[in-house]
Amino acid sequence: MSLICETARLIIRRFTPEDAGFIVQLLNDESFIRYIADKQVRTLADAVNYLASGPVASYNAQGFGLNMVLLKNATPRLTNEPATPIGMCGLLKRPELSLPDLGFAFLPAFCGQGYAREAAAAVLSQAIQTHNLRTVLAVTKPDNLRSNALLLKLGFAFKHNISLFGTENKLYQYQAA
């Protein structure tokens, strides 16, 4: 396991091919498709390819990428599982943007409980320290009210609207102190 960071409630680590089942579930969630995109990941083979060509390729090229977010189980001895996969969070370097941007997505059952904020704050702090970043961007659709609000809570400032991937988005910028 390649640990990125840990919080009181979360473990954030790099994705592995063994996470393919979770990726199929997350990327086919209605809110992921609505607010991010339909990545056309329907099978385990699709998910393994997505992980290899997305997060893992980014780790190799940039040193960062999207990461698995796991909820620490309170009683791992009883469940035999140390953590529950709940989402993804990390930095991406898209050719369409001049700087890395923060991305995140969580299963609906884990939304509204502060996990996205906790993961995003930890990933952002870790990325700024480890990769010596001063500025990080974020992009979200205008009607994704939760993500827009979360970015503001994290200290991102709205810059302007931007057309990206054939749709209108809001562009945010975080400036490290």
Side-chain angles (χ1 to χ4, degrees), residues 15 19-27 68-69 85-88 107:
F15 278 110
D19 299 320
F22 173 75
I23 287 297
V24 171
Q25 181 184 8
L26 181 64
L27 272 56
M68 172 73 95
V69 179
I86 64 170
M88 66 167 67
L107 293 172

Side-chain angles (χ1 to χ4, degrees), residues 55-72:
V56 174
S58 182
Y59 305 150
N60 294 332
Q62 306 295 332
F64 55 76
L66 290 170
N67 304 296
M68 172 73 95
V69 179
L70 301 124
L71 178 63
K72 294 177 183 176

Side-chain angles (χ1 to χ4, degrees), residues 1-4 11-24 27 41 43-57 59-60 65-70 85 87-88:
M1 174 176 82
S2 187
L3 183 69
I4 299 301
I11 297 167
I12 302 164
R13 64 157 173 82
R14 287 185 170 186
F15 278 110
T16 68
E18 289 75 30
D19 299 320
F22 173 75
I23 287 297
V24 171
L27 272 56
V41 173
T43 66
L44 289 177
D46 293 341
V48 169
N49 183 54
Y50 167 85
L51 289 168
S53 62
V56 174
Y59 305 150
N60 294 332
L66 290 170
N67 304 296
M68 172 73 95
V69 179
L70 301 124
M88 66 167 67

Side-chain angles (χ1 to χ4, degrees), residues 96-149:
E96 300 84 0
L97 298 173
S98 60
L99 296 165
D101 71 292
L102 177 70
F104 50 85
F106 287 79
L107 293 172
F110 300 98
C111 292
Q113 300 174 55
Y115 298 128
R117 183 177 185 177
E118 190 173 327
V123 163
L124 192 58
S125 175
Q126 184 274 344
I128 287 168
Q129 292 173 9
T130 304
H131 303 289
N132 200 28
L133 298 173
R134 306 297 343 132
T135 307
V136 176
L137 303 175
V139 176
T140 187
K141 293 194 176 165
D143 65 337
N144 189 343
L145 302 179
R146 280 186 151 165
S147 290
N148 284 287

